[in-house]
Amino acid sequence: MWVMVFFDLPTETKVDRRAANRFRKSLLDDGFGMFQFSIYTRFCASRENMQVHINRIQKSLPKKGKVGIMQITDKQFGMIELFHGKKEAYMEPPSQQLELF
C-alpha cells in the first residue's frame, strides 16, 4: 500500500512559511519522499502500518491550508504514467569570425 499526501499551504508570511516547512519536514522525517513539489509518497507494508503514518500526519497538520491523503495499492501505484518534458536549451547565435590578413 502507498500513502500519498497532497498539500497546498500558504507561504505569504514568515509564520506561514515556517508552518509549511515544519509540515514538509515532518513528512520527510516520517519516511515520505517527494514525488512532486507538494506531493509526498510513502510505501507501507500493511493497512495497520499505513494508519500509523496517517495518524502522524494528522497530528502535524498546519492550521492553514489544505492537505489531502490518498491510499492506493502497489498495483495502482505501478500503473502511474509519468511524463518528463525536455528542458529547452537556449542556442546562442554563432558569433562572427574575423579574418586577419
Side-chain angles (χ1 to χ4, degrees), residues 54-90:
I54 291 172
N55 291 341
R56 286 183 190 157
I57 294 167
Q58 290 173 342
K59 289 178 184 175
S60 65
L61 289 174
K63 292 180 182 178
K64 298 179 183 177
K66 296 178 183 178
V67 177
I69 300 172
M70 181 171 31
Q71 307 167 24
I72 62 174
T73 65
D74 198 35
K75 184 176 180 179
Q76 290 169 326
F77 188 82
M79 292 189 306
I80 293 175
E81 293 185 40
L82 297 174
F83 302 96
H84 299 278
K86 292 183 181 179
K87 200 171 197 179
E88 291 186 30
Y90 176 72

Side-chain angles (χ1 to χ4, degrees), residues 5-27 37-40 57-58 60-69:
V5 180
F6 310 89
F7 58 90
D8 186 16
L9 303 175
T11 57
E12 285 86 31
T13 67
K14 190 173 185 178
V15 173
D16 289 341
R17 283 191 297 276
R18 190 173 292 136
N21 284 332
R22 193 176 303 125
F23 179 70
R24 191 183 67 80
K25 187 164 178 358
S26 72
L27 290 174
F37 287 123
S38 294
I39 302 174
Y40 285 71
I57 294 167
Q58 290 173 342
S60 65
L61 289 174
K63 292 180 182 178
K64 298 179 183 177
K66 296 178 183 178
V67 177
I69 300 172

Side-chain angles (χ1 to χ4, degrees), residues 18-59:
R18 190 173 292 136
N21 284 332
R22 193 176 303 125
F23 179 70
R24 191 183 67 80
K25 187 164 178 358
S26 72
L27 290 174
L28 293 172
D29 290 344
D30 197 24
F32 282 81
M34 188 169 73
F35 188 75
Q36 287 186 355
F37 287 123
S38 294
I39 302 174
Y40 285 71
T41 60
R42 186 185 201 292
F43 179 77
C44 296
S46 66
R47 288 191 186 273
E48 293 79 16
N49 181 250
M50 185 169 35
Q51 194 57 50
V52 168
H53 294 288
I54 291 172
N55 291 341
R56 286 183 190 157
I57 294 167
Q58 290 173 342
K59 289 178 184 175

